[in-house]
Amino acid sequence: MTKKHITDVVIIGSGIAALVAAECLSYHKNVIVITKSKKENSNSSRAQGGVAAAIARNDHWSNHFTDTMVAGNFHNDEDAVETLVQRGPELLRALIDRGMCFDKDEKGRIVLGQEGAHSMRRILHAGGDATGKALVNFMLNRLRTNQKVKIIENTLVVDLLVDENRCFGIKVKTNSRRTETIYSRDTILAAGGSGGLYSFTSNDPTVTGDGISLAYRAGANLVDLEFVQFHPTLLYVSGEVKGLISEAVRGEGAVLITKNGSRLMSGVHPQEDLAPRDIVAREINRAVLNGEQIFLDISMIKDFKKRFPTITGLCEENGIDLTVGKIPVVPGAHFHMGGVEVNQQGQTSVEHLYAIGEVACTGVHGANRLASNSLLEGIVFATELAEHLAFERSEDFEIPMNRSEDKACKELHLPEKEEIKAVMMKYVGIVRDEAGLKIARDWLEQYLSIEDNNFDPETLTHEQIGVYNMLQAAWLITTSALMRDESRGGHYRSDFPAEKIDWTKNKIIRNCHVPAHTA
Ligand code: SIN
């Protein structure tokens, strides 16, 4: 028998946006947080660099605004960027007042780091290069004794429940394979991004585009899905990616070099090694395709082990001798700028369904996210949403009666996860073209009946649901990439090379995926 629960708000995901929203909402509502693995497993926990905010005396939110717009190729939603950079400092100070510790110098002043495409030092960090982990642990500690927030781990959300364009909860599968229903007045998607769709990624292996797929099946609009950010520097050992080497390393002076020691970024961009990520990633990709091996030269960084303890551990575990001063790197999928279309309060096109964090697209990141703006985005827009929901009337919540949740299901024929990742890396990766994108689309479509609603979670295993979600998310990204016949930020089409375009004069065209079928 299907078990049923009722709550005010259910949040899908356990990254920084989910945890901040849960805490803010708990003053007014009962909240359930659902995560498909352990609550500590998220991209937020893995974030090394830090949180960007204009808190220095000589900085101003308008500088942060400009850097965000330039990195985003002016594809950004200006109002969302303004909210991000204006509310950021205030909300970080509130976290500090509640006990969050960012790294300080010997005089007790917060130390500010430098990262790519920032015009000045404005990155707050914690534990050297363990900022995300410190923030997530800080929030989890605060929630530990909070009676209004229940965190449920190892539970897969298999579908959003939607009736007449109104979301009224979720259907989940527990580790014991039981299907349960959680009815909620409001549902918040905070399920993270999609980096795990690619063979090379910095993301937690659990992050494979589930949120996009859930939203699509629920009938929510999706936008800007073609914009995928590739981080330039992932540790590369024995043909495999082993983890992230933070951009903060280049912020402290490291440079990209070839095997014979030539500087890779000289003459490519005025900001050289600290150029926007899409530019650096493409340059490394070009060199790798030409048979070069690329390294980060860290020899000039004093006290590397002290400043970057996480990266030091990662390198040592993988047999890299840091005294040599060279770390082998390749680019890999890191962040999804596109996602579920939302306004600044996280509202999607489906009533009572909200999205925050990486799965959402407010347009704040444009075509390419500025470094260390993602934890900030999670904190700012989770707070905006929680403030919006806190004062909503809650008496009009009714569970639709006599609604059949069963779907006719055809037998699914599914590929291996690694096959999907390889196709995405090869054809929908750092450099794309029409022919390759069509190969990827056709390959994906042999497994998906996009027009048929043939997905029935009851009969599928966790693994099958995960693969189906990957296929659907991959198809959505691929078809969006086919629609955008220009190169911009994280979406680079070799058949439409970006000449010296003045993006400030370029009209923003947003590719919106309106689902062909709705739940
Ligand atoms: C990094 O530390 O390089 C990643 C931080 C980010 O993606 O903002």
Side-chain angles (χ1 to χ4, degrees), residues 46-50 115 229 231 233 244-248 250 277 334-335 369-375:
R46 290 184 165 219
Q48 294 178 351
E115 288 186 24
Q229 179 173 81
H231 194 291
T233 55
L244 178 67
I245 307 294
S246 175
E247 198 159 275
R250 275 173 286 135
R277 281 186 186 163
H334 183 59
F335 188 86
R369 174 172 66 77
L370 181 67
S372 284
N373 266 356
S374 65
L375 290 172

mmCIF file with all atom_site columns, all heavy atoms in Angstrom, residues 46-50 115 229 231 233 244-248 250 277 334-335 369-375, ligand 1:
data_model
loop_
_atom_site.group_PDB
_atom_site.id
_atom_site.type_symbol
_atom_site.label_atom_id
_atom_site.label_alt_id
_atom_site.label_comp_id
_atom_site.label_asym_id
_atom_site.label_entity_id
_atom_site.label_seq_id
_atom_site.pdbx_PDB_ins_code
_atom_site.Cartn_x
_atom_site.Cartn_y
_atom_site.Cartn_z
_atom_site.occupancy
_atom_site.B_iso_or_equiv
_atom_site.pdbx_formal_charge
_atom_site.auth_seq_id
_atom_site.auth_comp_id
_atom_site.auth_asym_id
_atom_site.auth_atom_id
_atom_site.pdbx_PDB_model_num
ATOM   1   N N   . ARG A 1 46  ? 30.836 20.507 -2.263  1.00 0.00 ? 46  ARG A N   1
ATOM   2   C CA  . ARG A 1 46  ? 32.105 20.386 -2.983  1.00 0.00 ? 46  ARG A CA  1
ATOM   3   C C   . ARG A 1 46  ? 32.715 21.730 -3.358  1.00 0.00 ? 46  ARG A C   1
ATOM   4   O O   . ARG A 1 46  ? 33.845 21.778 -3.826  1.00 0.00 ? 46  ARG A O   1
ATOM   5   C CB  . ARG A 1 46  ? 31.884 19.627 -4.291  1.00 0.00 ? 46  ARG A CB  1
ATOM   6   C CG  . ARG A 1 46  ? 31.585 18.182 -4.058  1.00 0.00 ? 46  ARG A CG  1
ATOM   7   C CD  . ARG A 1 46  ? 31.479 17.457 -5.379  1.00 0.00 ? 46  ARG A CD  1
ATOM   8   N NE  . ARG A 1 46  ? 31.541 16.038 -5.131  1.00 0.00 ? 46  ARG A NE  1
ATOM   9   C CZ  . ARG A 1 46  ? 32.172 15.163 -5.873  1.00 0.00 ? 46  ARG A CZ  1
ATOM   10  N NH1 . ARG A 1 46  ? 32.780 15.548 -6.962  1.00 0.00 ? 46  ARG A NH1 1
ATOM   11  N NH2 . ARG A 1 46  ? 32.186 13.888 -5.570  1.00 0.00 ? 46  ARG A NH2 1
ATOM   12  N N   . ALA A 1 47  ? 31.941 22.817 -3.226  1.00 0.00 ? 47  ALA A N   1
ATOM   13  C CA  . ALA A 1 47  ? 32.444 24.120 -3.706  1.00 0.00 ? 47  ALA A CA  1
ATOM   14  C C   . ALA A 1 47  ? 33.692 24.500 -2.929  1.00 0.00 ? 47  ALA A C   1
ATOM   15  O O   . ALA A 1 47  ? 33.692 24.563 -1.703  1.00 0.00 ? 47  ALA A O   1
ATOM   16  C CB  . ALA A 1 47  ? 31.364 25.189 -3.544  1.00 0.00 ? 47  ALA A CB  1
ATOM   17  N N   . GLN A 1 48  ? 34.758 24.747 -3.662  1.00 0.00 ? 48  GLN A N   1
ATOM   18  C CA  . GLN A 1 48  ? 36.036 25.042 -3.000  1.00 0.00 ? 48  GLN A CA  1
ATOM   19  C C   . GLN A 1 48  ? 36.231 26.546 -2.856  1.00 0.00 ? 48  GLN A C   1
ATOM   20  O O   . GLN A 1 48  ? 36.497 27.073 -1.792  1.00 0.00 ? 48  GLN A O   1
ATOM   21  C CB  . GLN A 1 48  ? 37.192 24.466 -3.826  1.00 0.00 ? 48  GLN A CB  1
ATOM   22  C CG  . GLN A 1 48  ? 37.187 22.964 -3.884  1.00 0.00 ? 48  GLN A CG  1
ATOM   23  C CD  . GLN A 1 48  ? 38.323 22.417 -4.749  1.00 0.00 ? 48  GLN A CD  1
ATOM   24  O OE1 . GLN A 1 48  ? 39.012 23.157 -5.443  1.00 0.00 ? 48  GLN A OE1 1
ATOM   25  N NE2 . GLN A 1 48  ? 38.510 21.117 -4.705  1.00 0.00 ? 48  GLN A NE2 1
ATOM   26  N N   . GLY A 1 49  ? 36.086 27.233 -3.998  1.00 0.00 ? 49  GLY A N   1
ATOM   27  C CA  . GLY A 1 49  ? 36.494 28.638 -4.090  1.00 0.00 ? 49  GLY A CA  1
ATOM   28  C C   . GLY A 1 49  ? 35.918 29.514 -3.008  1.00 0.00 ? 49  GLY A C   1
ATOM   29  O O   . GLY A 1 49  ? 36.636 29.997 -2.125  1.00 0.00 ? 49  GLY A O   1
ATOM   30  N N   . GLY A 1 50  ? 34.618 29.719 -3.008  1.00 0.00 ? 50  GLY A N   1
ATOM   31  C CA  . GLY A 1 50  ? 34.040 30.555 -1.976  1.00 0.00 ? 50  GLY A CA  1
ATOM   32  C C   . GLY A 1 50  ? 32.758 31.220 -2.382  1.00 0.00 ? 50  GLY A C   1
ATOM   33  O O   . GLY A 1 50  ? 32.027 30.717 -3.237  1.00 0.00 ? 50  GLY A O   1
ATOM   34  N N   . GLU A 1 115 ? 39.323 35.455 -8.051  1.00 0.00 ? 115 GLU A N   1
ATOM   35  C CA  . GLU A 1 115 ? 39.013 34.387 -9.014  1.00 0.00 ? 115 GLU A CA  1
ATOM   36  C C   . GLU A 1 115 ? 38.773 34.996 -10.384 1.00 0.00 ? 115 GLU A C   1
ATOM   37  O O   . GLU A 1 115 ? 38.671 36.220 -10.525 1.00 0.00 ? 115 GLU A O   1
ATOM   38  C CB  . GLU A 1 115 ? 37.811 33.556 -8.541  1.00 0.00 ? 115 GLU A CB  1
ATOM   39  C CG  . GLU A 1 115 ? 38.168 32.676 -7.351  1.00 0.00 ? 115 GLU A CG  1
ATOM   40  C CD  . GLU A 1 115 ? 37.075 31.725 -6.932  1.00 0.00 ? 115 GLU A CD  1
ATOM   41  O OE1 . GLU A 1 115 ? 36.213 31.377 -7.761  1.00 0.00 ? 115 GLU A OE1 1
ATOM   42  O OE2 . GLU A 1 115 ? 37.072 31.339 -5.758  1.00 0.00 ? 115 GLU A OE2 1
ATOM   43  N N   . GLN A 1 229 ? 28.409 25.293 -18.158 1.00 0.00 ? 229 GLN A N   1
ATOM   44  C CA  . GLN A 1 229 ? 29.766 25.813 -17.910 1.00 0.00 ? 229 GLN A CA  1
ATOM   45  C C   . GLN A 1 229 ? 30.748 24.666 -17.679 1.00 0.00 ? 229 GLN A C   1
ATOM   46  O O   . GLN A 1 229 ? 30.483 23.754 -16.890 1.00 0.00 ? 229 GLN A O   1
ATOM   47  C CB  . GLN A 1 229 ? 29.763 26.703 -16.665 1.00 0.00 ? 229 GLN A CB  1
ATOM   48  C CG  . GLN A 1 229 ? 31.129 27.257 -16.344 1.00 0.00 ? 229 GLN A CG  1
ATOM   49  C CD  . GLN A 1 229 ? 31.077 28.264 -15.204 1.00 0.00 ? 229 GLN A CD  1
ATOM   50  O OE1 . GLN A 1 229 ? 31.040 27.898 -14.044 1.00 0.00 ? 229 GLN A OE1 1
ATOM   51  N NE2 . GLN A 1 229 ? 31.042 29.543 -15.544 1.00 0.00 ? 229 GLN A NE2 1
ATOM   52  N N   . HIS A 1 231 ? 34.376 23.853 -16.215 1.00 0.00 ? 231 HIS A N   1
ATOM   53  C CA  . HIS A 1 231 ? 35.438 24.425 -15.381 1.00 0.00 ? 231 HIS A CA  1
ATOM   54  C C   . HIS A 1 231 ? 36.766 24.062 -16.028 1.00 0.00 ? 231 HIS A C   1
ATOM   55  O O   . HIS A 1 231 ? 36.981 22.914 -16.415 1.00 0.00 ? 231 HIS A O   1
ATOM   56  C CB  . HIS A 1 231 ? 35.353 23.862 -13.960 1.00 0.00 ? 231 HIS A CB  1
ATOM   57  C CG  . HIS A 1 231 ? 36.166 24.633 -12.969 1.00 0.00 ? 231 HIS A CG  1
ATOM   58  N ND1 . HIS A 1 231 ? 37.543 24.643 -12.975 1.00 0.00 ? 231 HIS A ND1 1
ATOM   59  C CD2 . HIS A 1 231 ? 35.784 25.443 -11.953 1.00 0.00 ? 231 HIS A CD2 1
ATOM   60  C CE1 . HIS A 1 231 ? 37.971 25.427 -11.989 1.00 0.00 ? 231 HIS A CE1 1
ATOM   61  N NE2 . HIS A 1 231 ? 36.925 25.923 -11.355 1.00 0.00 ? 231 HIS A NE2 1
ATOM   62  N N   . THR A 1 233 ? 39.799 23.666 -14.858 1.00 0.00 ? 233 THR A N   1
ATOM   63  C CA  . THR A 1 233 ? 40.860 22.880 -14.214 1.00 0.00 ? 233 THR A CA  1
ATOM   64  C C   . THR A 1 233 ? 40.327 21.787 -13.289 1.00 0.00 ? 233 THR A C   1
ATOM   65  O O   . THR A 1 233 ? 40.082 22.020 -12.106 1.00 0.00 ? 233 THR A O   1
ATOM   66  C CB  . THR A 1 233 ? 41.825 23.822 -13.436 1.00 0.00 ? 233 THR A CB  1
ATOM   67  O OG1 . THR A 1 233 ? 41.068 24.609 -12.514 1.00 0.00 ? 233 THR A OG1 1
ATOM   68  C CG2 . THR A 1 233 ? 42.594 24.736 -14.374 1.00 0.00 ? 233 THR A CG2 1
ATOM   69  N N   . LEU A 1 244 ? 38.126 18.707 -8.422  1.00 0.00 ? 244 LEU A N   1
ATOM   70  C CA  . LEU A 1 244 ? 38.282 20.110 -8.842  1.00 0.00 ? 244 LEU A CA  1
ATOM   71  C C   . LEU A 1 244 ? 39.580 20.724 -8.312  1.00 0.00 ? 244 LEU A C   1
ATOM   72  O O   . LEU A 1 244 ? 39.965 20.482 -7.168  1.00 0.00 ? 244 LEU A O   1
ATOM   73  C CB  . LEU A 1 244 ? 37.090 20.900 -8.287  1.00 0.00 ? 244 LEU A CB  1
ATOM   74  C CG  . LEU A 1 244 ? 37.035 22.402 -8.553  1.00 0.00 ? 244 LEU A CG  1
ATOM   75  C CD1 . LEU A 1 244 ? 36.838 22.696 -10.028 1.00 0.00 ? 244 LEU A CD1 1
ATOM   76  C CD2 . LEU A 1 244 ? 35.905 23.038 -7.751  1.00 0.00 ? 244 LEU A CD2 1
ATOM   77  N N   . ILE A 1 245 ? 40.232 21.509 -9.159  1.00 0.00 ? 245 ILE A N   1
ATOM   78  C CA  . ILE A 1 245 ? 41.333 22.362 -8.698  1.00 0.00 ? 245 ILE A CA  1
ATOM   79  C C   . ILE A 1 245 ? 40.804 23.792 -8.811  1.00 0.00 ? 245 ILE A C   1
ATOM   80  O O   . ILE A 1 245 ? 40.686 24.340 -9.910  1.00 0.00 ? 245 ILE A O   1
ATOM   81  C CB  . ILE A 1 245 ? 42.616 22.196 -9.556  1.00 0.00 ? 245 ILE A CB  1
ATOM   82  C CG1 . ILE A 1 245 ? 43.040 20.725 -9.665  1.00 0.00 ? 245 ILE A CG1 1
ATOM   83  C CG2 . ILE A 1 245 ? 43.743 23.060 -8.988  1.00 0.00 ? 245 ILE A CG2 1
ATOM   84  C CD1 . ILE A 1 245 ? 43.485 20.068 -8.380  1.00 0.00 ? 245 ILE A CD1 1
ATOM   85  N N   . SER A 1 246 ? 40.489 24.368 -7.682  1.00 0.00 ? 246 SER A N   1
ATOM   86  C CA  . SER A 1 246 ? 39.779 25.654 -7.638  1.00 0.00 ? 246 SER A CA  1
ATOM   87  C C   . SER A 1 246 ? 40.452 26.754 -8.468  1.00 0.00 ? 246 SER A C   1
ATOM   88  O O   . SER A 1 246 ? 41.682 26.844 -8.541  1.00 0.00 ? 246 SER A O   1
ATOM   89  C CB  . SER A 1 246 ? 39.691 26.126 -6.190  1.00 0.00 ? 246 SER A CB  1
ATOM   90  O OG  . SER A 1 246 ? 39.116 27.403 -6.138  1.00 0.00 ? 246 SER A OG  1
ATOM   91  N N   . GLU A 1 247 ? 39.581 27.605 -9.010  1.00 0.00 ? 247 GLU A N   1
ATOM   92  C CA  . GLU A 1 247 ? 40.066 28.774 -9.733  1.00 0.00 ? 247 GLU A CA  1
ATOM   93  C C   . GLU A 1 247 ? 40.837 29.710 -8.795  1.00 0.00 ? 247 GLU A C   1
ATOM   94  O O   . GLU A 1 247 ? 41.652 30.527 -9.239  1.00 0.00 ? 247 GLU A O   1
ATOM   95  C CB  . GLU A 1 247 ? 38.846 29.516 -10.294 1.00 0.00 ? 247 GLU A CB  1
ATOM   96  C CG  . GLU A 1 247 ? 39.156 30.461 -11.380 1.00 0.00 ? 247 GLU A CG  1
ATOM   97  C CD  . GLU A 1 247 ? 37.903 30.741 -12.182 1.00 0.00 ? 247 GLU A CD  1
ATOM   98  O OE1 . GLU A 1 247 ? 37.602 29.958 -13.097 1.00 0.00 ? 247 GLU A OE1 1
ATOM   99  O OE2 . GLU A 1 247 ? 37.224 31.726 -11.881 1.00 0.00 ? 247 GLU A OE2 1
ATOM   100 N N   . ALA A 1 248 ? 40.575 29.566 -7.494  1.00 0.00 ? 248 ALA A N   1
ATOM   101 C CA  . ALA A 1 248 ? 41.294 30.385 -6.509  1.00 0.00 ? 248 ALA A CA  1
ATOM   102 C C   . ALA A 1 248 ? 42.796 30.120 -6.593  1.00 0.00 ? 248 ALA A C   1
ATOM   103 O O   . ALA A 1 248 ? 43.605 30.978 -6.226  1.00 0.00 ? 248 ALA A O   1
ATOM   104 C CB  . ALA A 1 248 ? 40.779 30.069 -5.113  1.00 0.00 ? 248 ALA A CB  1
ATOM   105 N N   . ARG A 1 250 ? 44.492 29.786 -9.382  1.00 0.00 ? 250 ARG A N   1
ATOM   106 C CA  . ARG A 1 250 ? 44.970 30.778 -10.362 1.00 0.00 ? 250 ARG A CA  1
ATOM   107 C C   . ARG A 1 250 ? 44.859 32.191 -9.783  1.00 0.00 ? 250 ARG A C   1
ATOM   108 O O   . ARG A 1 250 ? 45.665 33.059 -10.060 1.00 0.00 ? 250 ARG A O   1
ATOM   109 C CB  . ARG A 1 250 ? 44.182 30.657 -11.675 1.00 0.00 ? 250 ARG A CB  1
ATOM   110 C CG  . ARG A 1 250 ? 44.768 29.595 -12.598 1.00 0.00 ? 250 ARG A CG  1
ATOM   111 C CD  . ARG A 1 250 ? 43.905 29.358 -13.821 1.00 0.00 ? 250 ARG A CD  1
ATOM   112 N NE  . ARG A 1 250 ? 42.713 28.608 -13.484 1.00 0.00 ? 250 ARG A NE  1
ATOM   113 C CZ  . ARG A 1 250 ? 41.482 28.883 -13.901 1.00 0.00 ? 250 ARG A CZ  1
ATOM   114 N NH1 . ARG A 1 250 ? 41.281 29.900 -14.711 1.00 0.00 ? 250 ARG A NH1 1
ATOM   115 N NH2 . ARG A 1 250 ? 40.470 28.138 -13.540 1.00 0.00 ? 250 ARG A NH2 1
ATOM   116 N N   . ARG A 1 277 ? 35.677 31.714 -17.503 1.00 0.00 ? 277 ARG A N   1
ATOM   117 C CA  . ARG A 1 277 ? 35.900 30.265 -17.569 1.00 0.00 ? 277 ARG A CA  1
ATOM   118 C C   . ARG A 1 277 ? 35.706 29.656 -18.945 1.00 0.00 ? 277 ARG A C   1
ATOM   119 O O   . ARG A 1 277 ? 36.412 28.729 -19.322 1.00 0.00 ? 277 ARG A O   1
ATOM   120 C CB  . ARG A 1 277 ? 34.907 29.568 -16.631 1.00 0.00 ? 277 ARG A CB  1
ATOM   121 C CG  . ARG A 1 277 ? 35.348 29.655 -15.247 1.00 0.00 ? 277 ARG A CG  1
ATOM   122 C CD  . ARG A 1 277 ? 34.453 28.852 -14.348 1.00 0.00 ? 277 ARG A CD  1
ATOM   123 N NE  . ARG A 1 277 ? 34.918 29.136 -12.998 1.00 0.00 ? 277 ARG A NE  1
ATOM   124 C CZ  . ARG A 1 277 ? 34.240 28.898 -11.916 1.00 0.00 ? 277 ARG A CZ  1
ATOM   125 N NH1 . ARG A 1 277 ? 33.043 28.349 -11.992 1.00 0.00 ? 277 ARG A NH1 1
ATOM   126 N NH2 . ARG A 1 277 ? 34.737 29.181 -10.742 1.00 0.00 ? 277 ARG A NH2 1
ATOM   127 N N   . HIS A 1 334 ? 30.701 21.683 -15.104 1.00 0.00 ? 334 HIS A N   1
ATOM   128 C CA  . HIS A 1 334 ? 30.777 22.212 -13.741 1.00 0.00 ? 334 HIS A CA  1
ATOM   129 C C   . HIS A 1 334 ? 29.467 22.816 -13.268 1.00 0.00 ? 334 HIS A C   1
ATOM   130 O O   . HIS A 1 334 ? 29.045 22.586 -12.147 1.00 0.00 ? 334 HIS A O   1
ATOM   131 C CB  . HIS A 1 334 ? 31.883 23.279 -13.728 1.00 0.00 ? 334 HIS A CB  1
ATOM   132 C CG  . HIS A 1 334 ? 32.143 23.887 -12.393 1.00 0.00 ? 334 HIS A CG  1
ATOM   133 N ND1 . HIS A 1 334 ? 32.531 23.140 -11.309 1.00 0.00 ? 334 HIS A ND1 1
ATOM   134 C CD2 . HIS A 1 334 ? 32.089 25.186 -11.957 1.00 0.00 ? 334 HIS A CD2 1
ATOM   135 C CE1 . HIS A 1 334 ? 32.704 23.942 -10.256 1.00 0.00 ? 334 HIS A CE1 1
ATOM   136 N NE2 . HIS A 1 334 ? 32.429 25.176 -10.632 1.00 0.00 ? 334 HIS A NE2 1
ATOM   137 N N   . PHE A 1 335 ? 28.798 23.582 -14.152 1.00 0.00 ? 335 PHE A N   1
ATOM   138 C CA  . PHE A 1 335 ? 27.618 24.321 -13.680 1.00 0.00 ? 335 PHE A CA  1
ATOM   139 C C   . PHE A 1 335 ? 26.644 24.535 -14.840 1.00 0.00 ? 335 PHE A C   1
ATOM   140 O O   . PHE A 1 335 ? 27.051 24.785 -15.966 1.00 0.00 ? 335 PHE A O   1
ATOM   141 C CB  . PHE A 1 335 ? 28.056 25.687 -13.128 1.00 0.00 ? 335 PHE A CB  1
ATOM   142 C CG  . PHE A 1 335 ? 26.947 26.430 -12.442 1.00 0.00 ? 335 PHE A CG  1
ATOM   143 C CD1 . PHE A 1 335 ? 26.661 26.201 -11.102 1.00 0.00 ? 335 PHE A CD1 1
ATOM   144 C CD2 . PHE A 1 335 ? 26.172 27.335 -13.142 1.00 0.00 ? 335 PHE A CD2 1
ATOM   145 C CE1 . PHE A 1 335 ? 25.617 26.861 -10.469 1.00 0.00 ? 335 PHE A CE1 1
ATOM   146 C CE2 . PHE A 1 335 ? 25.120 28.005 -12.516 1.00 0.00 ? 335 PHE A CE2 1
ATOM   147 C CZ  . PHE A 1 335 ? 24.855 27.769 -11.179 1.00 0.00 ? 335 PHE A CZ  1
ATOM   148 N N   . ARG A 1 369 ? 28.469 31.602 -15.856 1.00 0.00 ? 369 ARG A N   1
ATOM   149 C CA  . ARG A 1 369 ? 28.448 32.104 -14.473 1.00 0.00 ? 369 ARG A CA  1
ATOM   150 C C   . ARG A 1 369 ? 29.811 32.646 -14.039 1.00 0.00 ? 369 ARG A C   1
ATOM   151 O O   . ARG A 1 369 ? 30.848 32.040 -14.309 1.00 0.00 ? 369 ARG A O   1
ATOM   152 C CB  . ARG A 1 369 ? 28.028 30.988 -13.513 1.00 0.00 ? 369 ARG A CB  1
ATOM   153 C CG  . ARG A 1 369 ? 28.134 31.391 -12.051 1.00 0.00 ? 369 ARG A CG  1
ATOM   154 C CD  . ARG A 1 369 ? 27.540 30.385 -11.130 1.00 0.00 ? 369 ARG A CD  1
ATOM   155 N NE  . ARG A 1 369 ? 28.239 29.132 -11.110 1.00 0.00 ? 369 ARG A NE  1
ATOM   156 C CZ  . ARG A 1 369 ? 29.389 28.912 -10.473 1.00 0.00 ? 369 ARG A CZ  1
ATOM   157 N NH1 . ARG A 1 369 ? 30.017 29.894 -9.840  1.00 0.00 ? 369 ARG A NH1 1
ATOM   158 N NH2 . ARG A 1 369 ? 29.929 27.713 -10.488 1.00 0.00 ? 369 ARG A NH2 1
ATOM   159 N N   . LEU A 1 370 ? 29.772 33.766 -13.341 1.00 0.00 ? 370 LEU A N   1
ATOM   160 C CA  . LEU A 1 370 ? 30.979 34.326 -12.733 1.00 0.00 ? 370 LEU A CA  1
ATOM   161 C C   . LEU A 1 370 ? 31.369 33.451 -11.539 1.00 0.00 ? 370 LEU A C   1
ATOM   162 O O   . LEU A 1 370 ? 30.499 33.003 -10.769 1.00 0.00 ? 370 LEU A O   1
ATOM   163 C CB  . LEU A 1 370 ? 30.689 35.752 -12.264 1.00 0.00 ? 370 LEU A CB  1
ATOM   164 C CG  . LEU A 1 370 ? 31.851 36.521 -11.623 1.00 0.00 ? 370 LEU A CG  1
ATOM   165 C CD1 . LEU A 1 370 ? 32.957 36.812 -12.638 1.00 0.00 ? 370 LEU A CD1 1
ATOM   166 C CD2 . LEU A 1 370 ? 31.349 37.842 -11.032 1.00 0.00 ? 370 LEU A CD2 1
ATOM   167 N N   . ALA A 1 371 ? 32.672 33.242 -11.370 1.00 0.00 ? 371 ALA A N   1
ATOM   168 C CA  . ALA A 1 371 ? 33.167 32.387 -10.289 1.00 0.00 ? 371 ALA A CA  1
ATOM   169 C C   . ALA A 1 371 ? 32.621 32.820 -8.932  1.00 0.00 ? 371 ALA A C   1
ATOM   170 O O   . ALA A 1 371 ? 32.480 34.004 -8.652  1.00 0.00 ? 371 ALA A O   1
ATOM   171 C CB  . ALA A 1 371 ? 34.696 32.463 -10.264 1.00 0.00 ? 371 ALA A CB  1
ATOM   172 N N   . SER A 1 372 ? 32.313 31.834 -8.119  1.00 0.00 ? 372 SER A N   1
ATOM   173 C CA  . SER A 1 372 ? 31.858 32.027 -6.733  1.00 0.00 ? 372 SER A CA  1
ATOM   174 C C   . SER A 1 372 ? 30.531 32.789 -6.606  1.00 0.00 ? 372 SER A C   1
ATOM   175 O O   . SER A 1 372 ? 30.210 33.326 -5.551  1.00 0.00 ? 372 SER A O   1
ATOM   176 C CB  . SER A 1 372 ? 32.946 32.667 -5.866  1.00 0.00 ? 372 SER A CB  1
ATOM   177 O OG  . SER A 1 372 ? 33.906 31.673 -5.572  1.00 0.00 ? 372 SER A OG  1
ATOM   178 N N   . ASN A 1 373 ? 29.763 32.812 -7.694  1.00 0.00 ? 373 ASN A N   1
ATOM   179 C CA  . ASN A 1 373 ? 28.412 33.375 -7.616  1.00 0.00 ? 373 ASN A CA  1
ATOM   180 C C   . ASN A 1 373 ? 27.361 32.303 -7.340  1.00 0.00 ? 373 ASN A C   1
ATOM   181 O O   . ASN A 1 373 ? 26.185 32.630 -7.200  1.00 0.00 ? 373 ASN A O   1
ATOM   182 C CB  . ASN A 1 373 ? 28.047 34.089 -8.931  1.00 0.00 ? 373 ASN A CB  1
ATOM   183 C CG  . ASN A 1 373 ? 28.357 35.582 -8.888  1.00 0.00 ? 373 ASN A CG  1
ATOM   184 O OD1 . ASN A 1 373 ? 28.783 36.106 -7.855  1.00 0.00 ? 373 ASN A OD1 1
ATOM   185 N ND2 . ASN A 1 373 ? 28.149 36.264 -9.996  1.00 0.00 ? 373 ASN A ND2 1
ATOM   186 N N   . SER A 1 374 ? 27.755 31.017 -7.263  1.00 0.00 ? 374 SER A N   1
ATOM   187 C CA  . SER A 1 374 ? 26.686 30.007 -7.138  1.00 0.00 ? 374 SER A CA  1
ATOM   188 C C   . SER A 1 374 ? 26.246 29.787 -5.702  1.00 0.00 ? 374 SER A C   1
ATOM   189 O O   . SER A 1 374 ? 25.048 29.679 -5.435  1.00 0.00 ? 374 SER A O   1
ATOM   190 C CB  . SER A 1 374 ? 27.089 28.687 -7.784  1.00 0.00 ? 374 SER A CB  1
ATOM   191 O OG  . SER A 1 374 ? 28.167 28.121 -7.108  1.00 0.00 ? 374 SER A OG  1
ATOM   192 N N   . LEU A 1 375 ? 27.179 29.729 -4.743  1.00 0.00 ? 375 LEU A N   1
ATOM   193 C CA  . LEU A 1 375 ? 26.735 29.631 -3.344  1.00 0.00 ? 375 LEU A CA  1
ATOM   194 C C   . LEU A 1 375 ? 25.927 30.884 -3.010  1.00 0.00 ? 375 LEU A C   1
ATOM   195 O O   . LEU A 1 375 ? 24.904 30.830 -2.325  1.00 0.00 ? 375 LEU A O   1
ATOM   196 C CB  . LEU A 1 375 ? 27.940 29.490 -2.402  1.00 0.00 ? 375 LEU A CB  1
ATOM   197 C CG  . LEU A 1 375 ? 28.706 28.157 -2.461  1.00 0.00 ? 375 LEU A CG  1
ATOM   198 C CD1 . LEU A 1 375 ? 29.988 28.234 -1.629  1.00 0.00 ? 375 LEU A CD1 1
ATOM   199 C CD2 . LEU A 1 375 ? 27.861 26.979 -1.988  1.00 0.00 ? 375 LEU A CD2 1
HETATM 200 C C1  . SIN B 2 .   ? 36.234 26.987 -7.965  1.00 0.00 ? 1   SIN B C1  1
HETATM 201 O O1  . SIN B 2 .   ? 36.638 26.990 -6.810  1.00 0.00 ? 1   SIN B O1  1
HETATM 202 O O2  . SIN B 2 .   ? 36.964 27.160 -8.932  1.00 0.00 ? 1   SIN B O2  1
HETATM 203 C C2  . SIN B 2 .   ? 34.785 26.769 -8.220  1.00 0.00 ? 1   SIN B C2  1
HETATM 204 C C3  . SIN B 2 .   ? 33.976 27.810 -7.600  1.00 0.00 ? 1   SIN B C3  1
HETATM 205 C C4  . SIN B 2 .   ? 32.827 28.184 -8.471  1.00 0.00 ? 1   SIN B C4  1
HETATM 206 O O3  . SIN B 2 .   ? 32.463 27.435 -9.357  1.00 0.00 ? 1   SIN B O3  1
HETATM 207 O O4  . SIN B 2 .   ? 32.292 29.265 -8.285  1.00 0.00 ? 1   SIN B O4  1
#
